[in-house]
Amino acid sequence: MYGNVGTPVIIYCWRVYDKATGLNDLMGWFAFDVMGDLAFSQDFNMMEKREYTHAIQMLHSALALLGPFSPAIWVPRLAFAFIPGLWKVKDWFGMLAFCDGCMDRRLKTGIEHDDIVSWFLKDAKDYKNTTELVSSLGGETATVVIAGSETTAPTLTTLFYLLARHPNDVETIADELGSVNIEDVKALAGLPHLNGSINEAMRLLPAVLTFGTRVSPPDGMEVEGTFIPGDVKLVAPRYSIGRRQTSCVGKALAMTEVRLAVAAILSRFRISFAQGSDGGRRVELEMKDQLTGKPGDLFLVFEPR
């Protein structure tokens, strides 16, 4: 199922080697293509076309709306209810329509092998028709599209940014990869430097920088000597506090995808910052928090080994 995950990105790197390559788009196209395959058994073909579909452009626009308002989520909820056709709000509904379309096409293909949607379908056998089923799975579909791509893409971008800053670690990982089959997911999971680098990148520059709030208990609570009144919304930004382990339902799949992509690239190429890119400083300086992280532009050069 996973063996050829890194193939499209390798083909792309061979096409552009020794040239300045924008990692943000490359990893975005890659993440969406893989998500389409693993979730819906559909090929979005973005790596081949080297462009985002209109629906994914709408998704990016919608996330730019949700990010700043995530501490006050009632603001976009009002916009969804009262001005669905205006500004970035319409892009959100356009993205949801795209997600429903992915589910609808998946149901009509009758594919029998396991993908992510197949597990949803096993738990949804009581619906009378396809329209009702697609509607019922709308939330799950949107979650798969966003969580399956908009976290992997920034993770890969920031990981390669940090690796380009530390070429000795790149060579250590390449040496590790030389001792295993780089398409063997179990073997990759056992490489200490590869996995340590991935985990450290996610600790320093997590894909989800802030999102996620809780409400304090009615009687209030005390944290490190500070009393917090009851019924107060709390947010603990992952970027700020870091640096602690959090759980994610799709973590195992995401880690497998990241390992395979990194292994495919670093086993064949050395990487360096493109001339004039100022050592990739824009990645952190221009990072935006919009539900998921949006790193600043990163340009690298791939040199064949």
Side-chain angles (χ1 to χ4, degrees), residues 101-111 130:
C102 289
M103 178 64 76
D104 188 45
R105 288 191 297 274
R106 170 62 179 80
L107 294 175
K108 291 177 179 178
T109 58
I111 294 172
T130 300

Side-chain angles (χ1 to χ4, degrees), residues 3-4 18 33 40 45 49 51-52 55 64 71 74 78 110 113 131 144 158 161-162 169 175 194 209-210 214 216:
N4 63 349
D18 285 340
D33 279 354
F40 304 104
N45 209 27
K49 294 180 179 178
E51 63 182 12
Y52 291 108
W74 55 270
L78 285 174
H113 69 257
T131 301
V144 167
T158 54
Y161 155 67
L162 292 169
D169 291 294
D175 289 342
L194 169 65
L209 299 171
T210 300
R214 297 292 186 271
S216 61

Side-chain angles (χ1 to χ4, degrees), residues 231-243:
D231 298 318
V232 172
K233 181 178 285 189
L234 306 174
V235 61
R238 292 168 179 80
Y239 181 85
S240 300
I241 63 175
R243 316 288 250 228

Side-chain angles (χ1 to χ4, degrees), residues 107 118-137:
L107 294 175
S118 70
W119 295 99
F120 292 160
L121 299 179
K122 291 175 183 179
D123 291 330
K125 298 178 180 179
D126 298 330
Y127 293 96
K128 298 178 181 178
N129 54 59
T130 300
T131 301
E132 185 178 340
L133 180 57
V134 169
S135 176
S136 72
L137 295 177

Side-chain angles (χ1 to χ4, degrees), residues 27-303:
M27 295 309 169
W29 301 331
F30 168 74
F32 275 106
D33 279 354
V34 172
M35 180 274 298
D37 184 19
L38 297 183
F40 304 104
S41 298
Q42 296 172 26
D43 186 2
F44 294 159
N45 209 27
M46 295 187 203
M47 288 288 296
E48 181 65 29
K49 294 180 179 178
R50 306 189 192 188
E51 63 182 12
Y52 291 108
T53 66
H54 179 62
I56 301 307
Q57 293 173 2
M58 288 193 293
L59 168 60
H60 290 160
S61 176
L63 291 180
L65 168 67
L66 284 185
F69 290 110
S70 60
I73 200 65
W74 55 270
V75 174
R77 289 187 68 177
L78 285 174
F80 295 155
F82 295 107
I83 54 171
L86 296 179
W87 194 42
K88 294 179 183 293
V89 180
K90 69 179 185 300
D91 292 332
W92 177 259
F93 287 100
M95 183 273 295
L96 293 180
F98 164 76
C99 295
D100 287 345
C102 289
M103 178 64 76
D104 188 45
R105 288 191 297 274
R106 170 62 179 80
L107 294 175
K108 291 177 179 178
T109 58
I111 294 172
E112 296 184 358
H113 69 257
D114 286 340
D115 54 20
I116 294 174
V117 168
S118 70
W119 295 99
F120 292 160
L121 299 179
K122 291 175 183 179
D123 291 330
K125 298 178 180 179
D126 298 330
Y127 293 96
K128 298 178 181 178
N129 54 59
T130 300
T131 301
E132 185 178 340
L133 180 57
V134 169
S135 176
S136 72
L137 295 177
E140 284 85 350
T141 307
T143 299
V144 167
V145 170
I146 296 173
S149 55
E150 287 296 316
T151 54
T152 304
T155 294
L156 283 166
T157 300
T158 54
L159 171 60
F160 277 100
Y161 155 67
L162 292 169
L163 287 172
R165 290 180 56 185
H166 300 279
N168 289 339
D169 291 294
V170 172
E171 296 309 306
T172 301
I173 294 172
D175 289 342
E176 282 187 337
L177 295 172
S179 65
V180 300
N181 176 357
I182 61 171
E183 294 184 355
D184 183 338
V185 295
K186 292 184 178 179
L188 294 180
L191 299 180
H193 213 81
L194 169 65
N195 289 281
S197 298
I198 294 171
N199 289 330
E200 183 68 355
M202 292 192 298
R203 182 183 75 84
L204 292 172
L205 296 169
V208 180
L209 299 171
T210 300
F211 191 76
T213 60
R214 297 292 186 271
V215 176
S216 61
D219 296 332
M221 59 189 294
E222 187 169 303
V223 179
E224 297 290 332
T226 299
F227 178 74
I228 300 174
D231 298 318
V232 172
K233 181 178 285 189
L234 306 174
V235 61
R238 292 168 179 80
Y239 181 85
S240 300
I241 63 175
R243 316 288 250 228
R244 55 187 291 188
Q245 186 171 356
T246 58
S247 62
C248 170
V249 172
K251 182 177 180 179
L253 178 59
M255 286 291 289
T256 298
E257 183 180 344
V258 170
R259 290 185 191 114
L260 286 167
V262 174
I265 292 175
L266 295 189
S267 63
R268 296 171 173 86
F269 299 93
R270 295 182 176 88
I271 60 173
S272 60
F273 291 113
Q275 187 174 2
S277 65
D278 197 18
R281 293 180 69 245
R282 294 173 63 183
V283 170
E284 293 189 70
L285 289 177
E286 299 179 9
M287 176 84 74
K288 295 180 180 178
D289 184 356
Q290 48 184 53
L291 188 64
T292 57
K294 186 177 185 298
D297 290 340
L298 173 64
F299 292 91
L300 296 182
V301 173
F302 297 96
E303 177 189 351

